[in-house]
Amino acid sequence: MIEMLTKRILQSAAVILLMSLLAFAGINLVGDPIYLLVSPTASQQEIEEAARSLGLHLPAYEQYWRFLVNAFHGDLGKSFVFNQPAVSLIIERIPATLELAFTALFFSVVIGIPLGMIAGLMPKSRIRRAIMGCSIAGVTAPTFWIGLIFILVFSVNLGWFPSGGRGPTTSVLGIDVSFTSWEGLKYLILPALTLSLFKIALVIRLTEAGTREVSMQEYIKFARAKGVHGSRLMLKHIAPNVLIPIVTALGLELGHLIAFSLVTESIFAWPGMGKLIIDSVLHLDRPVVVAYLMITLLIFVFINFVVDVLYLLLDPRLRSTAK
């Protein structure tokens, strides 16, 4: 098992190095930000001095090497626009994005898994057809449209939830969160539901397919023949085997929730990383964009590593292979 984990760590390090090169090269091939940062009336000498002060006069490979060395010390550059360290700009907004992503993941699990199991255990019922029909709608409906409909219905017409922004926050272990009060939850529910609808539909379909497959296995028929039914059959025999692929999918989807919450954050004016990265792209603020990509990459790699460990814990066959 230790050998397998060591191999995963080395593979993760190689992925981080390769993706850092691709991200840096891709971002640095897009335009020259110096002309956006200096005054339109600046002389050529002033432009060159500004480029020199920001390190933009160096060849691309030297800029990458400096970036790589500084990255090992936690320095991913200073924002051209805000004149602040790019990492601190992103870290300031990470709690809001993580809160939104984990709440969306929570909705995906508590709604998607039970509905998927119900649909899987009743393959010929109207309930299954209704659940699977809703899941198709959840997969195909665009996120921005769902968000706008939610705002129109629940904020404008019914007035149940605010249409945007983040509610009052409290500090928990040094991190500002808004879910500890009802007022904060009111701001969180609509964007989290919007972000989670696609994932809920995905979890329903995965769970339904897994439940149908597992329920046809011989050991399930044997358990039923022994008189095991209801919640005991579900929790002890079906759920452990259904959850293995779902844990893998949810781990990857958590990374997607964090990285691709830009649309939801923009619609609901949620003060997370989404608004920052959109503004940074528009202003060619390279350090912030590269820092965002690197931090997102680290989150993806970390989540995949945790998923691998969970996979080893959930599947005894993998543990025996790893020994």
Side-chain angles (χ1 to χ4, degrees), residues 273-286:
M273 294 188 293
K275 183 70 166 57
L276 174 67
I277 191 63
I278 288 175
D279 291 341
S280 300
V281 170
L282 292 175
H283 293 95
L284 285 180
D285 197 353
R286 291 178 177 176

Side-chain angles (χ1 to χ4, degrees), residues 4 12 27 31 54 96 124 148 151-152 163 167 171 174 256 284 319:
M4 182 173 288
S12 301
I27 296 299
L54 295 171
K124 297 181 180 178
L148 293 176
I151 290 175
L152 181 64
S163 60
S171 180
H256 292 163
L284 285 180
R319 288 202 298 274

Side-chain angles (χ1 to χ4, degrees), residues 131-210:
I131 292 174
M132 299 311 292
C134 292
S135 72
I136 292 174
V139 170
T140 54
T143 302
F144 72 92
W145 183 79
I146 294 173
L148 293 176
I149 293 297
F150 277 178
I151 290 175
L152 181 64
V153 174
F154 296 106
S155 299
V156 178
N157 291 336
L158 298 176
W160 290 355
F161 302 104
S163 60
R166 192 184 187 196
T169 59
T170 55
S171 180
V172 176
L173 300 175
I175 300 173
D176 290 336
V177 295
S178 62
F179 62 82
T180 53
S181 66
W182 171 239
E183 190 63 27
L185 277 174
K186 287 170 65 178
Y187 284 85
L188 179 60
I189 288 175
L190 280 189
L193 264 181
T194 302
L195 187 60
S196 67
L197 276 184
F198 179 85
K199 310 305 176 191
I200 291 173
L202 181 66
V203 171
I204 286 175
R205 302 186 74 79
L206 286 174
T207 309
E208 188 267 348

Side-chain angles (χ1 to χ4, degrees), residues 222-241:
F222 183 71
R224 282 176 170 153
K226 288 176 62 181
V228 180
H229 295 285
S231 59
R232 187 181 174 194
L233 177 69
M234 176 65 67
L235 297 176
K236 190 173 181 180
H237 298 283
I238 295 179
N241 295 286

